[in-house]
Amino acid sequence: MSRLSRSGMEREVQDLLRRLDRIQKNAEYWLQPRNLESIDHENLQSLWGSLNAIAVSLDEMLTFQPTLMRALEGTEPVSRCYAAAILSRLGIQIKISTLLSILEESFASTEVACRRHAARMMFDLKGKGVPLLSRALIDKDEHVRNWGLRLAQAIGKEALPALPALLELVRQSSQTSGAEIPNIQLRAEACDLIADFGSAAANAAKVLLAVSDERLEVDDNRYLRLRAVRALHLVSSNAKQVIKVASEILDAKVGTIMVDEQGQPIDDGGYWPRVWACDLLAELGKEAIGAAPKLEKLLKEEENATVRAAAEEALKAMGK
């Protein structure tokens, strides 16, 4: 019996993917309204051919169902994961207990693609995927963590049992570069989720306080500090720390203003951290009255109109 070599299989797979890509692009082109209005018979035939080829490809995939079911019942974890991923994409129901068992194995795999498939399937399970949520949130791969965070956002307060893993995600230092370190956006979104838990996440205060004091001279880090201190206030009513962090960001030295060839200032968005700081103070309203003098000074000295407008709104929220 002849066997296809690994390189031969890879070539066949790549050829199939390229063929499907060409079919998809052809169908997408002719399905655009402006092209569909002027389509002639020959090109209409081409569109029908593309759509038929997609249908045939789907039929061919469905013929693999018995093979995939056998892989699902096997003992090799990564193969079980890939089989489950394909069956799930085809809309074929897998017994929840079986799927959870496969995903549990998959999150322990060193195969990154396997863990990514597992995280996607976990997300599709919604509330039934909660037992695996913590595993995804602390995974080394950013894509896996992102699926975990998306699930936590989708189920809201049902994700509270995963709070320790969310805190692990939030506390990771952004000073280390590389794909295995959580990016600032993921950390900020995790802070927002913890904020939604309110006082039920009171034991998150220590970590949120530390992150709110994290100082890196990049705009995104200031955004993270503001999200962390907002969450801190919502879980432990710490208005004092909010005023402290917002004031530090408002006092931060503005970087060198870039200019274009005509000498006109270029809006690089560097003022946004100050806008966010004002917005957070506005959200606190009268609780942030201690920051009023700083905002009043900002109205007199700030050159950026957007920052001034945000400062004015914050003062109104304070009753000034």
Side-chain angles (χ1 to χ4, degrees), residues 252-268:
K253 183 179 179 182
V254 180
T256 303
I257 298 176
M258 300 175 63
V259 296
D260 59 22
E261 294 179 355
Q262 286 73 42
Q264 297 298 314
I266 297 175
D267 182 0
D268 63 354

Side-chain angles (χ1 to χ4, degrees), residues 145-221:
R145 292 194 301 274
N146 185 52
W147 278 115
L149 192 60
R150 286 181 60 183
L151 173 58
Q153 291 168 331
I155 63 178
K157 292 185 178 180
E158 286 184 61
L160 186 58
L163 179 60
L166 281 167
L167 289 175
E168 185 64 27
L169 174 59
V170 169
R171 72 161 56 95
Q172 295 297 317
S173 173
S174 61
Q175 292 176 311
T176 307
S177 61
E180 294 189 353
I181 300 300
N183 65 30
I184 285 176
Q185 185 61 34
L186 284 184
R187 297 173 72 198
E189 290 180 11
C191 288
D192 288 342
L193 185 58
I194 294 170
D196 290 340
F197 294 153
S199 59
N203 59 346
K206 184 177 179 180
V207 171
L208 294 170
L209 178 62
V211 175
S212 72
D213 277 332
E214 187 179 282
R215 292 174 177 80
L216 295 175
E217 289 304 314
V218 292
D219 291 344
D220 285 349
N221 178 254

Side-chain angles (χ1 to χ4, degrees), residues 23-305:
I23 291 171
Q24 180 183 8
K25 287 178 178 177
N26 184 69
E28 284 183 345
Y29 178 82
W30 288 114
L31 285 171
Q32 292 179 32
R34 65 175 183 274
N35 298 325
L36 199 55
E37 290 174 0
S38 59
I39 194 170
D40 57 27
H41 181 71
E42 182 179 348
N43 287 321
L44 190 59
Q45 291 280 354
S46 176
L47 171 60
W48 292 344
S50 294
L51 295 176
N52 180 62
I54 294 171
V56 170
S57 297
L58 180 58
D59 285 340
E60 290 175 351
M61 286 298 299
L62 289 171
T63 64
F64 280 93
Q65 185 175 342
T67 302
L68 295 170
M69 294 302 295
R70 284 196 294 273
L72 206 65
E73 297 163 0
T75 58
E76 206 287 305
V78 176
S79 298
R80 277 160 55 86
C81 177
Y82 290 158
I86 297 170
L87 288 168
S88 296
R89 300 293 199 282
L90 292 174
I92 297 167
Q93 294 295 317
I94 302 172
K95 190 177 178 181
I96 292 296
S97 59
T98 300
L99 186 54
L100 288 174
S101 174
I102 291 171
L103 299 186
E104 184 74 33
E105 294 175 345
S106 301
F107 279 122
S109 174
T110 57
E111 184 76 21
V112 175
C114 177
R115 300 202 308 277
R116 290 180 178 180
H117 282 302
R120 166 64 186 272
M121 287 186 281
M122 175 201 68
F123 173 79
D124 290 338
L125 288 174
K126 295 299 184 281
K128 294 176 182 177
V130 170
L132 302 164
L133 179 56
S134 293
R135 296 286 296 273
L137 288 169
I138 61 174
D139 194 89
K140 291 182 178 181
D141 181 70
E142 185 174 308
H143 293 279
V144 176
R145 292 194 301 274
N146 185 52
W147 278 115
L149 192 60
R150 286 181 60 183
L151 173 58
Q153 291 168 331
I155 63 178
K157 292 185 178 180
E158 286 184 61
L160 186 58
L163 179 60
L166 281 167
L167 289 175
E168 185 64 27
L169 174 59
V170 169
R171 72 161 56 95
Q172 295 297 317
S173 173
S174 61
Q175 292 176 311
T176 307
S177 61
E180 294 189 353
I181 300 300
N183 65 30
I184 285 176
Q185 185 61 34
L186 284 184
R187 297 173 72 198
E189 290 180 11
C191 288
D192 288 342
L193 185 58
I194 294 170
D196 290 340
F197 294 153
S199 59
N203 59 346
K206 184 177 179 180
V207 171
L208 294 170
L209 178 62
V211 175
S212 72
D213 277 332
E214 187 179 282
R215 292 174 177 80
L216 295 175
E217 289 304 314
V218 292
D219 291 344
D220 285 349
N221 178 254
R222 294 168 198 163
Y223 170 72
L224 171 61
R225 293 183 66 196
L226 290 166
R227 306 326 290 167
V229 81
R230 176 179 179 271
L232 174 65
H233 180 63
L234 290 174
V235 304
S236 64
S237 300
N238 193 334
K240 182 178 179 180
Q241 180 69 3
V242 174
I243 295 172
K244 172 179 175 289
V245 172
S247 297
E248 288 178 359
I249 291 172
L250 291 174
D251 286 339
K253 183 179 179 182
V254 180
T256 303
I257 298 176
M258 300 175 63
V259 296
D260 59 22
E261 294 179 355
Q262 286 73 42
Q264 297 298 314
I266 297 175
D267 182 0
D268 63 354
Y271 59 86
W272 279 110
R274 303 200 300 287
V275 174
W276 298 329
C278 291
D279 289 346
L280 182 54
L281 293 172
E283 188 175 328
L284 264 64
K286 292 182 179 180
E287 286 186 280
I289 194 66
K294 187 172 295 294
L295 293 171
E296 290 168 345
K297 181 180 179 183
L298 197 65
L299 281 178
K300 297 176 182 178
E301 300 178 357
E302 174 63 45
E303 295 182 0
N304 186 281

